[in-house]
């Protein structure tokens, strides 16, 4: 696991945006795993700026999102398909037919989840998966006690996650859906590179538990300790509870220039 502690959002966007740009230069049809929520926005802004400047073409990539709310109309502005189209795929030039999001409406959710797993596999698997982390340690919407081997399925959100996400719903928790469809932890671990980004004090405890605590289903992000290529990108506040923060800083500062994340 590589822990990178950076000054601010802009540096995080530049670092991860650069890694994605290099991936797409090597393979123009790379498969990207996208997260929604606030954390990855600096990365999306960085990538959009590269596309607008003419230095990057994302039009041949395929994208899979992590999760979707159950019960929101597909055109609801906070449905994750609407969100990711608005903040990233449309401005980045990724067409709707290359954007896959879990289907979460209708009776046949189990079948739709199995289809989503198949679609990821048929696309050749995810090359780079972006992740945020919940204040309770969730990745995707795999809440504490999710199986570390879980696959795409329906989950019920913990109250704290609904409280955290009420900011997207006029601060009204009653508007936040109770249920979601999410890639499982086992699904996420199959991505060839996972990059988790977190900023702010509210993530500090979850980050420390995930990175330096025991591997446990109570902290779903701790499953990333099992991944051979996991990068954790933090600002100072999100890194503030890490016992080995200075070690991570020194390690990253002394990294040879040629070695990317
Ligand atoms: C979103 C997702 C969630 C978020 C997490 C953090 O697709 O899967 O795990 O990444 O809830 O959300 P933010 O970034 O809004 O703090």
């Amino acid at each position: 696991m590589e822990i990178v502690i950076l000054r601010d959002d802009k540096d995080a966007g530049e670092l991860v945006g650069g890694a994605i740009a290099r991936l797409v230069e090597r393979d123009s049809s790379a498969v990207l795993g996208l997260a929604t929520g606030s954390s990855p926005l600096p990365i999306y802004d960085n990538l959009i700026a590269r596309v607008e400047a003419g230095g990057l073409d994302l039009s041949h990539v395929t994208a899979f999102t992590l999760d979707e709310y159950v019960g929101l109309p597909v055109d609801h502005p906070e449905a994750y398909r609407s969100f990711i189209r608005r903040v990233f795929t449309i401005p980045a030039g990724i067409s709707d037919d290359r954007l896959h999001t879990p289907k979460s409406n209708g009776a046949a959710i189990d079948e739709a989840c199995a289809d989503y797993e198949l679609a990821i596999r048929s696309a050749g698997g995810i090359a780079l998966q972006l992740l945020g982390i919940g204040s309770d340690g969730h990745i995707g919407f795999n809440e504490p006690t999710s199986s570390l081997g879980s696959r795409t399925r329906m989950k019920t959100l913990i109250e704290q996650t609904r409280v955290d996400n009420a900011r997207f719903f006029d601060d009204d928790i009653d508007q936040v859906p109770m249920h979601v469809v999410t890639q499982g932890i086992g699904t996420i671990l199959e991505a060839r590179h996972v990059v988790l980004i977190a900023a702010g004090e509210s993530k500090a405890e979850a980050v420390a538990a995930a990175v330096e605590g025991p591997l446990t289903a109570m902290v779903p992000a701790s499953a990333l300790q099992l991944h051979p290529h996991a990068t954790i990108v933090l600002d100072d506040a999100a890194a503030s509870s890490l016992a080995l923060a200075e070690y991570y800083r020194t390690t990253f500062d002394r990294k040879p220039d040629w070695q990317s994340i």
Side-chain angles (χ1 to χ4, degrees):
M1 204 181 242
E2 179 176 30
I3 305 15
V4 184
I5 304 170
L6 298 172
R7 236 177 354 177
D8 56 27
D9 273 12
K10 207 157 168 272
D11 286 356
E14 180 65 25
L15 179 79
V16 183
I20 294 174
R22 283 191 297 281
L23 168 67
V24 174
E25 267 161 34
R26 290 194 303 274
D27 175 8
S28 62
S29 54
V31 180
L32 302 179
L34 306 178
T36 49
S38 314
S39 305
L41 295 179
I43 301 167
Y44 298 148
D45 290 347
N46 181 279
L47 288 168
I48 292 165
R50 288 171 193 266
V51 169
E52 286 174 351
L56 177 65
D57 178 4
L58 291 174
S59 64
H60 301 290
V61 306
T62 298
F64 287 86
T65 58
L66 281 169
D67 36 30
E68 183 57 281
Y69 290 114
V70 172
L72 290 185
V74 276
D75 57 351
H76 188 289
E78 296 310 326
Y80 279 160
R81 188 172 179 89
S82 309
F83 180 91
I84 202 72
R85 288 178 76 242
R86 183 170 69 242
V87 303
F88 182 53
T89 56
I90 291 177
I94 301 171
S95 60
D96 282 350
D97 57 327
R98 293 186 167 274
L99 170 65
H100 300 262
T101 55
K103 293 206 177 34
S104 58
N105 284 321
I109 282 191
D110 286 352
E111 206 179 304
C113 291
D115 288 349
Y116 202 61
E117 290 277 333
L118 189 61
I120 294 174
R121 229 170 301 133
S122 309
I126 290 173
L128 187 149
Q129 175 67 58
L130 292 174
L131 298 170
I133 184 170
S135 58
D136 63 355
H138 69 229
I139 48 173
F141 273 135
N142 296 283
E143 298 285 26
T145 72
S146 289
S147 158
L148 300 183
S150 49
R151 312 301 308 189
T152 302
R153 71 223 181 285
M154 193 166 115
K155 288 291 289 179
T156 305
L157 292 178
I158 278 183
E159 189 71 357
Q160 183 60 47
T161 301
R162 295 181 66 233
V163 169
D164 290 346
N165 285 7
R167 70 189 193 282
F168 295 112
F169 293 86
D170 307 320
D171 285 322
D172 176 7
I173 192 178
D174 293 335
Q175 289 184 43
V176 185
M178 300 269 289
H179 298 105
V180 290
V181 168
T182 179
Q183 284 187 33
I185 297 173
T187 319
I188 291 168
L189 289 179
E190 282 174 5
R192 293 189 279 286
H193 183 191
V194 292
V195 179
L196 183 149
I197 178 162
E201 183 86 49
S202 64
K203 301 293 175 73
E205 260 183 50
V207 165
V211 170
E212 295 179 338
L215 172 66
T216 167
M218 281 302 282
V219 182
S222 68
L224 300 183
Q225 294 175 19
L226 293 169
H227 197 285
H229 191 182
T231 309
I232 314 294
V233 180
L234 308 170
D235 68 358
D236 287 325
S240 59
S241 297
L242 289 170
L244 298 183
E246 280 321 305
Y247 169 63
Y248 308 138
R249 285 193 177 92
T250 309
T251 306
F252 188 67
D253 286 349
R254 296 195 181 160
K255 213 170 148 148
D257 288 343
W258 52 265
Q259 198 179 33
S260 176
I261 54 171

